[in-house]
Amino acid sequence: MLKVALTGGIGSGKTAITDYLSSLGVAVLDSDQFAHEVTARGEGAVDEIAKALGPGALSPDGDLDRAAVRKLVFSDPKKRAQLEAIVHPRVRQKMNEAAKRAITPYVIFSIPLLVETKQAENFDHVVVVEAPHELRANRVLERNSLDHDAFSAIDDAQASDVERRRAANDIIQNDGSLQSLYGQVDALHQRLTALSRRKAQTAEA
Ligand code: ATP
C-alpha cells in the first residue's frame, strides 16, 4: 500500500481535497482528527498534558481545555515542544495502525504540520496544496470566526510555501474554483493509483 501525505497551509484546501478523495473511495486519515481522539476524556495524554502545562490546561470537569492549551503554548516554544512530544507520537502510532487496516491501493495521510514536524520522509509520496495568502485568509474568515490577525498568527507560525515545495512530489494549485480543484484531484488520483500498482508489482517481484 502506498503511503501518501497531504499538506498545505491554513485554509489551502486540504479538507476540500480529502472530502473529494473520500467520495472516490480513497482511505483518508486526518492527523487533526487523531489528535482530537488521543486527547479525548480518559486518554493518558490528557493527564500528561496537565502535568506538563499545569492545571490551566484542563476545564473544571477534567477535559482538555483546547482553547486554553492553544493560548498556553502559542507564545511558549518550550511548552509547545512538550505538548507535541506527548501528542505527536500517539497520533503517528494511531495513524499507522489505521493505515494497516485500509484496503485501498493508497492511503492519504492529511498532516497540516508535515514539514514542520519533519515527517515527509516517512511517506512514499508527498502532495502539497497551495493557494495565495489573501485567498486562504478570505476562505478561512468566511468559514469560521477567526479574524485576520488570528489567521496571520497561525500562518506565520507554519512553514512557508518554499519549505513545503522542497518536500513535494506533487503540487496542487487551489487558486480557482472547486471544479478546477476537483479536476486536479482526479488527475492526482489516477497518478497515485498507477504509482500504487507499480509499488505492489515491485513488492511482488
Ligand atoms: P485548515 O488548515 O484550516 O484545516 P484546509 O486546508 O483544510 O484548512 P479547507 O477547509 O479545505 O482548507 O478550505 C478552507 C475553506 O475554503 C473551506 O470553507 C472550503 O470549503 C473553502 N474552499 C477550499 N477550496 C476552495 C475553492 N477552490 N473555491 C472555493 N472555496 C474553497
Side-chain angles (χ1 to χ4, degrees), residues 9-16 32 139-140 143 174 176-178 181:
I10 174 171
S12 54
K14 298 177 292 294
T15 309
D32 284 345
R139 286 174 179 164
V140 169
R143 185 189 61 187
N174 186 18
S177 65
L178 280 171
L181 177 67

Side-chain angles (χ1 to χ4, degrees), residues 110-151:
S110 180
I111 307 181
L113 300 181
L114 179 89
V115 169
E116 294 83 341
T117 55
K118 300 186 172 49
Q119 294 184 68
E121 276 163 20
N122 301 340
F123 294 90
D124 299 304
H125 201 86
V126 174
V127 179
V128 169
V129 54
E130 288 184 1
H133 181 277
E134 278 313 304
L135 191 54
R136 290 189 288 113
N138 291 339
R139 286 174 179 164
V140 169
L141 268 44
E142 248 172 57
R143 185 189 61 187
N144 55 20
S145 56
L146 277 190
D147 62 21
H148 203 282
D149 286 350
F151 170 87

Side-chain angles (χ1 to χ4, degrees), residues 1 11 13 26 36 46 69 75 84 106 115 127 130 151 157 186 204:
M1 181 257 299
V26 175
H36 253 83
V46 177
V69 169
S75 51
E84 289 175 353
Y106 71 92
V115 169
V127 179
E130 288 184 1
F151 170 87
D186 280 330
E204 275 167 22

Side-chain angles (χ1 to χ4, degrees), residues 5-151:
L6 169 67
T7 194
I10 174 171
S12 54
K14 298 177 292 294
T15 309
I17 291 173
T18 51
D19 283 352
Y20 185 67
L21 284 171
S22 290
S23 78
L24 300 179
V26 175
V28 171
L29 306 171
D30 181 332
S31 68
D32 284 345
Q33 272 173 23
F34 282 91
H36 253 83
E37 259 180 42
V38 303
T39 53
R41 180 182 291 191
E43 292 288 332
V46 177
D47 288 341
E48 281 196 38
I49 293 169
K51 259 187 230 147
L53 304 185
L58 300 184
S59 65
D61 53 8
D63 284 338
L64 197 67
D65 182 339
R66 294 173 197 279
V69 169
R70 267 197 297 277
K71 250 192 211 155
L72 281 167
V73 303
F74 202 77
S75 51
D76 189 335
K78 206 173 140 208
K79 283 193 171 150
R80 172 181 286 263
Q82 283 177 301
L83 176 70
E84 289 175 353
I86 296 165
V87 175
H88 289 173
R90 289 175 162 85
V91 169
R92 278 201 280 272
Q93 191 191 345
K94 289 239 176 201
M95 285 177 99
N96 283 324
E97 283 166 9
K100 279 186 198 141
R101 292 192 295 272
I103 51 164
T104 49
Y106 71 92
V107 175
I108 293 276
F109 292 67
S110 180
I111 307 181
L113 300 181
L114 179 89
V115 169
E116 294 83 341
T117 55
K118 300 186 172 49
Q119 294 184 68
E121 276 163 20
N122 301 340
F123 294 90
D124 299 304
H125 201 86
V126 174
V127 179
V128 169
V129 54
E130 288 184 1
H133 181 277
E134 278 313 304
L135 191 54
R136 290 189 288 113
N138 291 339
R139 286 174 179 164
V140 169
L141 268 44
E142 248 172 57
R143 185 189 61 187
N144 55 20
S145 56
L146 277 190
D147 62 21
H148 203 282
D149 286 350
F151 170 87

